[in-house]
């Protein structure tokens, strides 16, 4: 079967997306272990240990508190309470921490530090999977055992107000609730007022046992303006007054109840220095945990410093506090200060129940659990506990009894710590079978792409795909039989759940047929290459072709970047790799321009890589004379404007362009600090976003928008030019409306809104420009001779995407957009056209700038750098699909804009019918190499210390980047088919 290079590459990337999806599903397995056990009835609690004597304590201990109120403040960092901000803005909370009846802790949240996984950790005590960072957008019902489930089973009445994620996780568990949208980050006032407005009414009532309040305003302020915003202080003061109202009300009600009440103040995660969260920095993982109750009265002079604990310890502590069974999947341990004032027998009973639960969990997950140090300590503690019970029943008051009890306590606490640590390291169970299936498919596709390079980059841009050979080859059916046998053996012997085994036979068989067919095609292509290798060596097509310095740089740079992904430091600081590669590329281009102008040499080709043709099919025509003549002569294959641009002062622009691009990259590098090691250092972006420099930011934003208009309008129709101008004006008005910038005639305006009208005003022009461009493209298919119409249509689509990016970018990042467009213009006019690089070289250079563009925005392989506020521009409520699409475009605007620019350039500046096919194939190949290598690396490094904090976020980014690549290849192929139709 004969396919075009672009179509073939698009199909390969689509199959690769399927393989990556299967791999990700195995690497990030959904937690299904608890759902099977949750349907069974409640197990009776473990009896109290005994040694010769019979103990009559076989039931759960009674509750320690009458009512429990949980106040969860989203994105509450530990230093917001225990640091200077807490002293200044939360005086009542500070008093309770320092002198009141409370116990304070710093609870460490494990990555991913996003809301839904952290709620699961707080209520179940388990460590959620990293894939929950994706499921955070649409939380499914929680099937695992949890404190909420146990409380409902015990008949306790639970009331909830706040983030609707709780309502999705625990449907039908609350007797009363009012959920608020957590993703509409532009609102930080009403979202909290909707919680507080219920307080006066519910605190006066006594018909509830558990009250949960989840405040979102602080998190939204962080996303909008960061942790140093003046709004942070106002919000902390508001939360302090809410806490004081709840605490005083609970104290006044304690006279009516036999047991004291408990107030819990906590955060689900912290907040990074940029205001986001999701990664593993200290600011994101350290959260305050304050337990307040009259049962914790302290003596004068009793100073209690916050101790470091795990966030998963909250579930076990709440279960003990409410007299409930500890959730079965909890890996946390009881916070002992909560029960420190209880009698010794009760303390030992609480610790025994916790260690029994952890030891059972260890037995289910670790085959050699008997050799685990924590299990051995538990058995020792249980024996000592039995001896203590026997002694206790004989004589209840003696010094020996107290000393032995203290020893048992220490033994239990040590066992709890060791068991919890062992389970935390064992909780990550990989679905190796699904991972292997996905890896095989991806590697087969990569091998096929590499073997197809000679045919795909041929002048015809077509290749013969031997699809008929699998259908009639014995190898194909043998491979299917072997894979089917392996599938049956693995799925019948697997002790844990496996995603691929859970698929229907039709779906699993389809994947196996696909893998078998790919293998046969690879073998067939390899055989054809080996058989035809001798003939091609005897009759070389281009004996004078050689690798240029630029080709070697592209090859070595790509290979070096791929190899660097095996080191955690290089993954964290990947931006440094791209800074180096892009700067080196500029220097190489400078060397090439100078050599072609001043060091012309007839003995070697003046330009780099020689696939079968250059951009315009005129390779042979310009290999004869000196290189400087190439920049001076009109060859007849280039447009008149291009040849005129090579004379006079514009010739010097060709020489200066690499240095101008290098200067632009250096300025962009200083705008945003990113990565890990230098992210905390001040940069130009922090300086501009501070409230003291709003005037400077306003001027810079206005200049950037003006530059964007000048660079983009040149290829638009008159109607689109007007729409673009009004749209960019609307962008500035939107930023002024939300308070990011200011108008010259209203320098001190404090009228801040959500900018809904202004943003929608811009959306109208974005849709109008995209519609105009699409209409021109469709019309160009009908009028085949009108090549100019297609060129204008492609540029208008590019212009509409630029306008959308300008709306979604934060104002201090507008220079990134302006400089990126300037770099595109310089590369197009003064490097690619005069030096006549072929499609392969241009595509790889494009890819390097594509990979650098998110870095210039301040993004990295850290999930916390994703700007989710872009998903809510122009929305007055949370709408899932638009919010997800806008957030994705805001994150990957650079790759999309560079890809649309590449399609326009290759379609308008070349007369070659194969340029787009070559570009599509090269783009697919250059994107497939890193992702294929990376899944092999993360599989081999799956037990690495930084697998969840460093390698896993990068894996998610690679998967998303491959999906974007598939969409780009589809666009390439569609434009290529249009070109073939016209030709």
């Amino acid at each position: 079967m004969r396919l075009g290079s672009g179509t073939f590459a698009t199909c390969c990337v689509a199959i690769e997306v399927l393989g990556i999806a299967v791999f990700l599903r195995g690497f990030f397995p959904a937690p299904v272990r608890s759902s099977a056990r949750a349907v069974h009835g409640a197990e009776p609690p473990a009896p109290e240990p005994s040694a010769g004597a019979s103990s009559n304590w076989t039931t759960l201990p009674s509750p320690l508190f009458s009512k429990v109120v949980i106040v969860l403040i989203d994105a509450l960092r530990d230093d917001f309470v225990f640091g200077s901000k807490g002293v200044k803005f939360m005086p009542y909370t500070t008093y309770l921490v320092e002198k009141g009846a409370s116990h304070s802790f710093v609870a460490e949240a494990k990555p991913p530090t996003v809301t839904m996984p952290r709620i699961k950790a707080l209520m179940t005590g388990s460590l959620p999977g990293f894939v929950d960072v994706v499921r955070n957008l649409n939380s499914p019902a929680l099937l695992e055992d949890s404190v909420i489930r146990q409380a409902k089973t015990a008949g306790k009445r639970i009331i909830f107000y706040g983030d609707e994620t709780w309502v999705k996780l625990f449907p039908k568990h609350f007797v009363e609730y009012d959920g608020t949208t957590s993703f509409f980050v532009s609102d930080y006032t009403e979202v909290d007022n909707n919680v507080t407005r219920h307080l006066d009414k519910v605190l006066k009532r006594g018909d509830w046992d558990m009250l949960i309040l989840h405040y979102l305003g602080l998190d939204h302020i962080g996303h909008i303006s960061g942790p140093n915003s003046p709004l942070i202080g106002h919000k902390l003061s508001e939360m302090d007054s809410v806490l004081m109202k709840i605490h005083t009300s609970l104290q006044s009600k304690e006279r009516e109840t036999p047991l004291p009440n408990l107030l819990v103040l906590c955060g689900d995660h912290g907040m990074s220095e940029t205001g986001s969260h999701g990664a593993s920095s200290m600011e994101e993982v350290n959260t305050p945990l304050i337990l307040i109750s009259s049962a914790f009265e302290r003596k004068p002079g009793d100073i209690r410093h916050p101790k470091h604990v795990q966030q998963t310890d909250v579930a076990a502590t709440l279960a003990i506090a409410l007299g409930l069974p500890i959730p079965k999947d909890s890996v946390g341990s009881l916070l002992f200060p909560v029960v420190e004032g209880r009698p010794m027998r009760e303390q030992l009973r609480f610790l025994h129940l916790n260690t029994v639960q952890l030891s059972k969990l260890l037995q289910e997950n670790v085959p050699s659990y008997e050799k685990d140090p924590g299990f051995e300590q538990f058995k020792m503690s249980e024996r000592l506990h039995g001896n203590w019970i026997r002694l206790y029943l004989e004589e209840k008051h003696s010094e020996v009894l107290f000393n032995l009890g203290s020893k048992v306590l220490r033994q239990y606490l040590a066992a709890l710590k060791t068991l919890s640590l062992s389970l935390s390291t064992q909780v990550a169970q990989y679905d190796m079978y699904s991972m292997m299936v996905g890896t095989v498919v991806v590697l087969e596709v990569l091998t096929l792409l590499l073997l197809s390079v000679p045919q795909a980059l041929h002048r015809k841009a077509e290749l013969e795909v031997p699809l008929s050979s699998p259908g009639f080859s014995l190898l194909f059916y043998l491979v299917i039989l072997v894979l089917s046998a392996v599938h049956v053996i693995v799925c019948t012997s697997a002790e844990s759940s496996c995603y691929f085994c859970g698929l229907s036979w039709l779906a699993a068989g389809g994947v196996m047929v696909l893998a078998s067919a790919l293998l046969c095609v690879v073998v067939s292509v390899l055989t054809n290459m080996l058989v035809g290798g001798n003939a091609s060596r005897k009759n070389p097509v281009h004996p004078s072709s050689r690798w240029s310095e630029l080709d070697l740089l592209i090859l070595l740079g790509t290979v070096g970047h791929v190899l660097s992904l095996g080191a955690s430091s290089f993954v964290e600081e990947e931006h440094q790799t791209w800074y180096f590669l892009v700067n080196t590329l500029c220097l190489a281009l400078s060397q090439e321009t100078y050599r072609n102008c001043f060091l012309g040499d007839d003995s070697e080709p003046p330009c780099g890589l020689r696939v079968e043709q250059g951009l315009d099919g005129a390779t042979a025509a310009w290999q004869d004379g000196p290189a400087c003549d190439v920049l001076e002569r009109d060859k007849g294959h280039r447009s008149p404007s291009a040849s005129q641009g090579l004379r006079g002062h514009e010739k010097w622009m060709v020489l200066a362009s690499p240095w101008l691009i290098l200067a632009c990259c250096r300025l962009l590098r200083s705008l945003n600090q990113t990565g890990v090691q230098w992210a905390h250092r001040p940069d130009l972006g922090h300086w501009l976003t501070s409230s003291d420099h709003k005037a400077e930011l306003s001027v810079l934003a206005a200049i950037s928008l003006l530059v964007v208009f000048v660079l983009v309008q040149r290829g638009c129709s008159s109607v689109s030019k007007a729409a673009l101008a009004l749209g960019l004006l609307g962008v500035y008005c939107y930023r002024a409306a939300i308070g990011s910038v200011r108008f010259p005639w209203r320098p001190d305006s404090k009228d801040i809104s959500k900018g809904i009208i202004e943003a929608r005003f811009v959306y109208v022009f974005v849709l109008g420009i995209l519609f105009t461009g699409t209409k021109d493209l469709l019309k160009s298919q009908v009028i085949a001779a009108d090549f100019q119409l297609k060129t204008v249509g492609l540029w208008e689509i590019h212009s509409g995407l630029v306008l959308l990016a300008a709306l979604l970018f934060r104002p201090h990042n507008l220079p990134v957009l302006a400089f990126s467009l300037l770099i595109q213009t310089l590369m197009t006019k003064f490097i690619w056209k005069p030096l006549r690089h072929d499609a392969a070289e241009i595509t790889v250079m494009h890819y390097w700038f594509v990979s650098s563009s998110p870095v210039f925005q301040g993004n990295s392989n850290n999930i916390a750098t994703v700007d989710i506020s872009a998903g809510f521009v122009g929305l007055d409520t949370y709408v899932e699909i638009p919010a997800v699409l806008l957030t994705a475009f805001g994150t990957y605007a650079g790759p999309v804009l560079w890809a649309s620019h590449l399609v326009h350039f290759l379609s308008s500046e070349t007369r070659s019918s194969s340029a787009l096919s070559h570009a599509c194939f090269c783009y697919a190949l250059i994107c497939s190499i890193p992702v294929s290598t990376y899944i092999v690396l993360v599989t081999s490094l799956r037990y690495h210390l930084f697998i969840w904090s460093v390698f896993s976020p990068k894996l998610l980014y690679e998967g998303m980047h491959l999906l974007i690549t598939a969409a780009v290849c589809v666009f390439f192929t569609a434009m290529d088919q249009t070109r073939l139709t016209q030709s």
Side-chain angles (χ1 to χ4, degrees), residues 589-915:
L589 290 173
S590 176
Q591 183 263 350
E592 186 175 8
T593 56
Y594 281 113
R595 183 189 63 196
N596 285 320
C597 283
F598 303 117
L599 301 177
D601 185 358
D602 294 333
S603 63
E604 64 178 22
C607 252
L609 186 62
R610 291 289 170 272
V611 268
E612 292 292 324
Q613 37 129 89
L615 279 177
D616 49 14
T619 302
W622 62 288
Q623 285 183 347
D624 298 332
C628 58
D629 291 340
V630 175
L631 295 177
E632 300 290 345
R633 292 188 310 218
D634 181 5
K635 289 292 183 181
H637 298 283
R638 291 158 47 187
S639 62
S641 60
S643 63
Q644 292 170 4
L646 298 176
R647 301 180 184 277
H649 68 279
E650 292 195 2
K651 171 183 175 180
W652 297 104
M653 279 297 300
V654 174
L655 300 175
S657 291
W659 297 100
L660 291 176
I661 296 172
L662 186 63
C664 291
C665 293
R666 186 61 189 89
L667 289 173
L668 290 175
R669 180 176 179 175
S670 61
L671 187 63
N672 292 299
Q673 292 283 4
T674 185
V676 175
Q677 298 297 328
W678 293 274
H680 64 282
R681 294 188 177 181
D683 52 35
L684 187 57
H686 282 91
W687 184 83
L688 288 170
T689 52
S690 66
S691 57
D692 297 332
H693 303 106
K694 187 175 288 188
E696 291 85 349
L697 178 61
S698 303
V699 172
L700 184 62
I703 294 175
S704 299
L705 292 174
L706 181 62
V707 172
V708 169
F709 176 75
V710 171
L711 294 174
V712 174
Q713 57 83 31
R714 55 189 172 86
C716 296
S717 63
S718 56
V719 175
S720 296
K721 286 181 183 179
L724 179 64
L726 292 174
L728 292 173
L729 180 61
V731 170
Y732 191 89
C733 293
Y734 166 72
R735 290 299 170 183
I738 64 174
S740 299
V741 298
R742 60 179 62 155
F743 289 115
W745 56 89
R746 298 175 64 185
D748 298 323
S749 175
K750 295 184 180 180
D751 297 332
I752 298 177
S753 68
K754 298 177 183 177
I756 303 295
I757 297 176
E758 293 84 353
R760 290 178 178 177
F761 176 79
V762 179
Y763 283 136
V764 170
F765 291 112
V766 170
L767 294 176
I769 296 174
L770 292 176
F771 175 79
T772 304
T774 305
K775 182 192 68 175
D776 290 343
L777 284 179
L778 295 176
K779 189 183 295 184
S780 68
Q781 282 192 301
V782 178
I783 309 173
D786 196 347
F787 178 77
Q788 184 64 26
L789 192 61
K790 177 186 175 183
T791 302
V792 173
L794 285 172
W795 187 259
E796 286 179 337
I797 289 179
H798 177 68
S799 303
L801 296 174
V802 169
L803 179 57
L804 180 59
L807 177 64
L808 300 183
F809 276 23
R810 297 202 178 195
H812 75 278
N813 271 335
L814 287 175
V816 176
L817 181 61
F819 276 121
S820 296
L821 295 174
L822 179 60
I823 292 172
Q824 290 175 1
T825 303
L826 292 173
M827 295 289 283
T828 300
K829 286 189 173 182
F830 304 113
I831 294 180
W832 291 331
K833 287 172 65 176
L835 297 182
R836 300 194 179 198
H837 292 111
D838 56 44
E841 288 179 329
I842 290 176
T843 303
V844 177
M845 284 187 263
H846 249 277
Y847 176 79
W848 283 19
F849 281 103
V850 160
S851 300
S852 302
S853 55
V855 172
F856 291 140
Q857 287 178 240
N859 295 339
S860 67
N861 292 322
N862 188 331
I863 292 177
T865 58
V866 176
D867 182 15
I868 67 170
S869 64
F872 306 93
V873 174
L875 301 180
D876 54 2
T877 186
Y878 174 64
V879 186
E880 184 174 348
I881 295 178
V884 171
L885 292 178
L886 290 174
T887 302
F889 182 82
T891 304
Y892 291 94
V896 173
L897 293 179
W898 276 94
S900 62
H901 174 265
L902 178 60
V903 172
H904 172 267
F905 174 74
L906 295 178
S907 299
S908 61
E909 300 296 339
T910 72
R911 295 294 182 266
S912 169
S913 61
S914 58

Side-chain angles (χ1 to χ4, degrees), residues 396-425:
K396 294 189 178 182
H397 302 285
S398 71
E399 185 176 352
V400 175
L401 184 67
F402 176 78
N403 292 336
L404 180 59
S406 301
K407 182 179 179 180
V408 178
L409 276 179
R410 291 192 299 270
Q411 191 74 22
Y412 266 133
L413 291 174
L416 278 176
K417 184 177 180 179
T418 308
L419 284 170
S420 180
L421 183 61
S422 299
L423 286 167
S424 298
T425 57

Side-chain angles (χ1 to χ4, degrees), residues 15 29 37 98 102 177 215 389 439 525 597 601 683 782:
I15 297 173
R37 297 206 308 267
E98 295 180 351
S102 66
Y177 64 87
Y215 285 93
I389 291 295
T439 303
V525 172
C597 283
D601 185 358
D683 52 35
V782 178

Side-chain angles (χ1 to χ4, degrees), residues 68-235:
V68 174
V69 179
I70 301 175
V71 180
L72 193 156
I73 303 177
D74 212 292
L76 185 65
R77 277 179 13 180
D78 62 328
D79 60 333
F80 285 176
V81 176
F82 302 135
S84 58
K85 282 188 173 68
V87 174
K88 183 177 181 180
F89 300 113
M90 303 186 75
Y92 189 78
T93 305
T94 302
Y95 169 78
L96 291 177
V97 169
E98 295 180 351
K99 300 179 181 179
S102 66
H103 290 293
S104 303
F105 307 91
V106 175
E108 180 185 348
K110 299 293 184 184
T113 48
V114 293
T115 298
M116 190 269 281
R118 304 280 48 88
I119 294 175
K120 291 173 67 174
L122 286 166
M123 292 296 105
T124 67
S126 62
L127 295 175
F130 207 93
V131 76
D132 285 321
V133 72
V134 178
R135 302 172 72 196
N136 184 58
L137 295 173
N138 188 15
S139 309
L142 183 63
L143 300 178
E144 297 176 60
D145 193 14
S146 65
V147 175
I148 302 293
R149 179 191 290 271
Q150 294 288 358
K152 184 177 183 297
T153 303
K156 295 188 180 295
R157 297 172 59 85
I158 312 171
I159 296 177
F160 170 77
Y161 304 118
D163 184 357
E164 63 182 5
T165 304
W166 289 77
V167 182
K168 295 178 181 179
L169 288 173
F170 306 105
K172 301 180 182 180
H173 285 70
F174 306 119
V175 297
E176 182 180 322
Y177 64 87
D178 183 13
T180 57
T181 301
S182 59
F183 294 107
F184 187 56
V185 297
S186 299
D187 176 24
Y188 51 83
T189 304
E190 291 298 324
V191 72
D192 285 347
N193 292 341
N194 288 335
V195 177
T196 306
R197 65 190 175 94
H198 297 285
L199 276 182
D200 291 333
K201 177 183 66 176
V202 77
L203 289 175
K204 292 178 182 178
R205 293 157 39 190
D207 59 343
W208 53 271
D209 302 294
M210 195 172 181
L211 173 63
I212 303 174
L213 309 172
H214 189 149
Y215 285 93
L216 290 163
L218 186 68
D219 177 69
H220 291 185
I221 292 173
H223 284 297
I224 294 172
S225 53
N228 299 316
S229 169
L231 298 173
I232 293 288
H234 296 300
K235 182 57 66 175

Side-chain angles (χ1 to χ4, degrees), residues 9-23 438-439 441-447 449 514 518 923-933 935 959 962-963 965-966:
T10 303
C11 294
C12 286
V13 175
I15 297 173
E16 205 167 10
V17 169
L18 174 64
I20 288 293
V22 175
F23 179 87
T439 303
V441 172
V442 171
L443 292 180
E444 284 179 336
V445 171
L446 177 62
T447 305
L449 285 171
L514 179 62
L518 285 173
Y923 199 84
L925 179 61
I926 200 70
C927 293
S928 299
I929 293 174
V931 69
S932 304
T933 307
I935 63 172
L962 188 67
L963 187 61
T965 302

